[in-house]
Amino acid sequence: MKIAFVGKGGSGKTTLSSLFIRQLAASHVPVVAVDADINQHLGAALGMDESDAAALPSMGAQLPLIKDWLRGSNPRIASSETMIKTTPPGRGSRLLRITEDSPVHEACARTVALEGNEVRLLATGPFTEADLGVACYHSKTGAVELFLNHLVDGRDEFVVVDMTAGSDSFASGMFTRFDMTFLVAEPTRKGVSVYRQYKEYAQDFGIQLCVVGNKVHGQDDLDFLREQAGDDLLVCFGHSDWVRAMEKGRPLPLAELEPANRRALETLREAADGAYDKRDSERYMRQMIHFHLRNAESWGNAKTGVDLAAQVDPGFVPGEQPVPQTA
């Protein structure tokens, strides 16, 4: 199951995504966490030392390895150099599994001990001084998009992605890669502005979107979010001494989280489980191809010098064919 957390910068999406990851870890299901935000804070929110979090491998820096391995023996892809962030898998491509090892996991993932379980953590990589003026951040999140495009996951297997802030997610087709998108919103005009943008952009793509209120301190805050988000408002989180302790580098066991906030986490899990029942693998593949063809025509063909439309394998749906054996 693929889950995204989105929202305005400062809304608390990293904090809530880390809480959700902790809850999943406590229930002993396989979890892969991905920090795809330009500001890389998920590692620290999961309890890593700042130095260890800063030393996480950059998926963006490993893009050549990722492309080469995922390409496999797919005859429609002439070389890994002709793969772009939207290149879809086809027969011969290598697919990723949440519970299996691969060179991609080995190069990019690190294990974090959480709530008696182990979670794999991957990070897009920060925007560095060397990138200033010569690269955009979406060149780095392309590694995450390829990862998601080639990932086969099932019920009770979770990938949780802390997305980049605001509506930047719509700079690629990655916003369509999820079974459920949780939009974290504060009870302010700015806090719900991203929700309106997201709902408008996503409505034509069948995105399952739920609003999660955060920093809700009373009935007035709750009424405001209900007025603005209507039935999209799923649940709200209030003040948390537990979160404040975590932000000070003093993480506590999840069992000590305030009961109301624990119940809110359970509501997120129930919504995520329900989203899996609505999964449409064929639509998922159609959307992947749609954005690949758009990117190919817009810039990909010119950059690679080949017709990237030829990379599309008609009728292929990830997960319905056996994963190719790897050396």
Side-chain angles (χ1 to χ4, degrees):
M1 212 177 306
K2 302 179 182 75
I3 309 295
F5 279 80
V6 301
K8 181 182 72 68
S11 63
K13 67 180 180 60
T14 298
T15 298
L16 293 192
S17 62
S18 71
L19 282 174
F20 187 63
I21 291 164
R22 286 177 180 274
Q23 190 218 37
L24 293 173
S27 63
H28 295 279
V29 296
V31 186
V32 172
V34 182
D35 191 343
D37 196 353
I38 190 169
N39 298 306
Q40 306 268 279
H41 298 307
L42 184 58
L46 293 175
M48 295 183 72
D49 291 336
E50 292 287 349
S51 58
D52 291 338
L56 285 169
S58 165
M59 292 183 73
Q62 296 293 335
L63 192 53
L65 179 150
I66 294 172
K67 289 181 176 180
D68 188 61
W69 193 82
L70 294 178
R71 173 181 168 243
S73 60
N74 186 335
R76 294 178 174 271
I77 304 174
S79 68
S80 58
E81 288 76 17
T82 63
M83 292 180 72
I84 62 174
K85 63 182 182 178
T86 55
T87 294
R91 278 170 277 266
S93 297
R94 291 188 177 106
L95 303 180
L96 296 158
R97 305 272 182 172
I98 290 178
T99 57
E100 293 179 358
D101 295 326
S102 74
V104 174
H105 289 109
E106 182 179 348
C108 301
R110 294 297 179 266
T111 300
V112 180
L114 282 178
E115 306 297 327
N117 197 1
E118 290 188 338
V119 170
R120 278 175 165 163
L121 173 62
L122 300 92
T124 302
F127 200 68
T128 66
E129 185 175 343
D131 297 317
L132 295 176
V134 297
C136 72
Y137 188 65
H138 303 107
S139 64
K140 297 179 181 293
T141 57
V144 179
E145 190 164 357
L146 274 172
F147 180 88
L148 294 174
N149 282 355
H150 290 75
L151 182 69
V152 178
D153 59 288
R155 185 182 295 277
D156 293 326
E157 296 179 333
F158 287 84
V159 176
V160 181
V161 182
D162 180 17
M163 297 281 279
T164 190
S167 56
D168 281 356
S169 305
F170 292 98
S172 73
M174 194 159 65
F175 74 97
T176 66
R177 302 298 84 202
F178 302 100
D179 298 296
M180 171 59 75
T181 297
F182 292 125
L183 191 146
V184 181
E186 300 168 272
T188 65
R189 291 173 63 186
K190 287 185 178 179
V192 298
S193 63
V194 173
Y195 158 68
R196 294 197 189 97
Q197 285 181 306
Y198 224 100
K199 187 174 179 66
E200 179 182 354
Y201 294 157
Q203 62 185 354
D204 294 333
F205 294 93
I207 305 301
Q208 295 196 62
L209 178 68
C210 287
V211 175
V212 181
N214 193 32
K215 306 176 186 178
V216 175
H217 298 302
Q219 189 64 43
D220 185 64
D221 287 347
L222 179 58
D223 291 343
F224 176 82
L225 286 173
R226 282 178 173 161
E227 175 187 342
Q228 298 297 318
D231 292 340
D232 288 337
L233 180 64
L234 175 67
V235 73
C236 291
F237 286 78
H239 173 77
S240 174
D241 290 331
W242 191 100
V243 169
R244 183 60 59 89
M246 179 191 72
E247 292 174 341
K248 292 177 179 178
R250 305 167 189 165
L252 300 168
L254 187 64
E256 296 184 26
L257 182 68
E258 297 82 6
N261 289 330
R262 286 207 309 273
R263 288 193 295 272
L265 282 179
E266 291 167 1
T267 300
L268 296 188
R269 174 67 187 274
E270 291 167 1
D273 288 342
Y276 186 86
D277 296 328
K278 301 176 183 178
R279 171 178 285 196
D280 184 340
S281 298
E282 291 186 358
R283 183 182 68 186
Y284 184 85
M285 194 67 188
R286 286 197 304 271
Q287 291 175 343
M288 192 187 307
I289 292 170
H290 169 76
F291 283 103
H292 178 63
L293 296 178
R294 287 185 60 179
N295 277 267
E297 183 177 351
S298 176
W299 60 271
N301 290 344
K303 180 176 180 179
T304 62
V306 300
D307 179 10
L308 296 177
Q311 294 180 342
V312 175
D313 188 349
F316 180 86
V317 178
E320 295 187 0
Q321 294 80 15
V323 178
Q325 295 298 312
T326 59

